[in-house]
Every structure is written in structure tokens, then in C-alpha cells.
Amino acid sequence: MRFWFIVPAAGVGRRMGGVLPKQYLKLGEQTIIEHTLYCLRNHPAISGVVLVISPTDQYWPQLHLPEYSVPLWVAEGGVERCHSVLNGLYKLQERAADDDWVLVHDAARPCLRADDIDKLINNLQTHAVGGLLGLPVADTIKQVDESGMITKTVDRCGLWRALTPQMFRLGLLREALNNALSVGYIVTDEASAMEFQGYRPMMIEGAADNIKMTHPNDLSLVKTFLQQQGRAI
Ligand code: CTP
Ligand code: MG
């Protein structure tokens, strides 16, 4: 049984603002994308990583990456995240089999822990469908209309936030993403595409520090979390 990573990194980071896409912001000596790859490319269970970057990306070729145990290939990004992931799957297909497991992980989540990768693999490798890391919602959830007025309090029982990695079989995920896109459904994660096919992915509780860097304030949070993990910053 083989496990591969696809890392979508072809976004522009609009909500983060600034000129530089957020995955190229520096934290210490390294960029965010390098912090993200650190965990995956040193993990003994992983056969290879496909990094998906924008066709207009000028930053990736300028990085000086150290040697890692896990090989990396680059694929071209698409208009939305789901197009980028699909391109990554096609690239991976040159080396991987349809029933190999693929873990899709956002480049913008540099605080992923090796033991969360282990947890996902250990819980799902014998599962028929696969699943993802997530966290139960802690706050009270409100539905609000366009004027800002609350229309409803949503029962948070059973509500989870979807994180990454999301782990599915290469062939089934490719089919699911293609089917969603063929009807114009732009899925924001892999599990949504699998659900659209009628599958029921498993939710596995992950670490709370696996945040997606989205807004400017997240950079200092990421720094704190990486320092707490003892990672060099
Ligand atoms: N991503 C991608 N291809 C796209 C859009 C996004 O590979 N066409 C990647 C991003 O680089 C990121 C991950 O998907 O690592 C999650 O997306 P998000 O956090 O939304 O990043 P951006 O799209 O870059 O940010 P924003 O939505 O604020 O522009
Ligand atoms: Mg986006």
C-alpha cells in the first residue's frame, strides 16, 4: 500500500493581501511552503509529493531547498483549488496506481504534525472510502441575513470544521472531482466531491494548531504554533 501527497499551492492569497502569495511569506529562514513541505518530505510512510504551483509562479524556482528523503514533482495549478488538485492527480498518475492513497494538504497549513499524518493513515488505510482531519465546532453558530440580523441559532452538535490532509484513493478521487466539475460544482475540499458521489468519508479529529493561514494575523499565530512544536524558526 502506498501513500502520496498532493499539495495545492497555486493560490494568490487574496484575503491575506500583499503582493507575495501567502505561501511565499517568510517565517524565520524559510517560507511557509517550505515549512509545510518539511513535515511531508521527512515522513517515512510517504512515497512522493506533488506540489501544484501556478503557471505564472516566479517564486518557487528561487527557493533553495535542502535534501529530503521523500521525492517531489511539480504540477501546474488551475483556476480554483479543485482544478489544481485534479492536475496534481493527473501528474501523480504517471507514478501511482488508482488504488494508492492520496493525501491532499493545503500549502497554507504549515503546522501539520507528523503524528496527525500517522493518525489519518492508521485510522483510514483499511477503510473503504477514506476521510479527513477535522475539528468539532466549539462556538455557538448563528445564521445571519444580508443586513446582519440573526435568523437562526444552528445546533452545533455534530458540526465539524474540515481541515487537511484529506485522504482518498487516487482513482475514486479523480472520478469524484471530474464528476463534480462536469456539473459546475466547484468543491472547496475533496470530501465534498466524494460526498457528491454518494460516499461517506470519515472524520478524524486533528490537532487544533493545524490552521490555514488566511488573514494577516494568522502569520504570528503560525509562528507561535511552530515554535510550540519545537520547529526551528
Ligand atoms: N490553491 C490552489 N489553486 C487555486 C487556489 C488555491 O492550489 N486555484 C491552494 C492555495 O495555494 C492554498 C490552498 O489551495 O494552499 C487553500 O486555498 P486558500 O487558503 O483559499 O488560498 P488562496 O486561494 O491562495 O487564498 P484566497 O482564497 O484568500 O485568495
Ligand atoms: Mg482561495
Side-chain angles (χ1 to χ4, degrees):
M1 201 179 294
R2 290 189 297 177
F3 303 91
W4 308 83
F5 261 98
I6 290 181
V7 181
V12 293
R14 191 181 30 82
R15 286 168 289 181
M16 185 64 88
V19 183
L20 208 57
K22 60 189 178 186
Q23 58 273 28
Y24 294 110
L25 293 175
K26 260 195 150 176
L27 212 48
E29 290 297 298
Q30 293 192 323
T31 57
I32 292 297
I33 202 165
E34 290 168 276
H35 287 298
T36 305
L37 290 173
Y38 170 86
C39 181
L40 323 181
R41 297 195 66 190
N42 289 309
H43 196 288
I46 305 305
S47 297
V49 176
V50 171
L51 178 71
V52 190
I53 59 174
S54 160
T56 59
D57 186 320
Q58 316 140 27
Y59 307 104
W60 172 251
Q62 292 177 27
L63 299 182
H64 298 288
L65 300 176
E67 287 287 319
Y68 293 111
S69 52
V70 176
L72 178 134
W73 303 279
V74 171
E76 210 171 89
V79 178
E80 300 289 345
R81 182 183 176 282
C82 52
H83 301 107
S84 296
V85 172
L86 198 51
N87 288 353
L89 286 173
Y90 285 123
K91 185 76 182 177
L92 195 55
Q93 228 168 251
E94 297 166 12
R95 292 168 184 88
D98 265 6
D99 61 354
D100 282 357
W101 287 105
V102 178
L103 289 84
V104 181
H105 181 64
D106 293 326
R109 294 183 192 270
C111 306
L112 177 63
R113 293 158 180 263
D115 54 6
D116 256 5
I117 299 178
D118 295 337
K119 193 173 182 186
L120 204 57
I121 289 177
N122 292 339
N123 276 281
L124 296 176
Q125 59 184 330
T126 56
H127 193 263
V129 178
L132 65 154
L133 291 179
L135 279 171
V137 168
D139 299 303
T140 301
I141 302 294
K142 306 288 187 189
Q143 196 163 20
V144 177
D145 70 12
E146 313 80 63
S147 73
M149 199 158 62
I150 293 171
T151 52
K152 194 179 166 189
T153 298
V154 182
D155 182 6
R156 72 163 175 247
C157 178
L159 289 186
W160 287 59
R161 289 161 46 209
L163 313 176
T164 72
Q166 304 205 355
M167 171 172 152
F168 298 104
R169 304 260 184 197
L170 191 159
L172 289 184
L173 181 56
R174 183 189 56 229
E175 202 174 287
L177 286 169
N178 271 322
N179 283 349
L181 286 173
S182 71
V183 297
Y185 179 25
I186 302 294
V187 289
T188 52
D189 72 344
E190 291 60 56
S192 299
M194 297 297 284
E195 292 160 48
F196 185 64
Q197 290 283 90
Y199 295 117
R200 291 283 164 262
M202 288 298 296
M203 188 63 96
I204 309 291
E205 186 160 357
D209 59 3
N210 183 13
I211 62 165
K212 189 174 72 162
M213 239 180 64
T214 306
H215 301 108
N217 285 343
D218 294 334
L219 193 60
S220 57
L221 271 181
V222 163
K223 184 177 179 186
T224 304
F225 288 150
L226 287 179
Q227 281 170 340
Q228 277 173 359
Q229 288 185 26
R231 301 253 301 263
I233 299 293

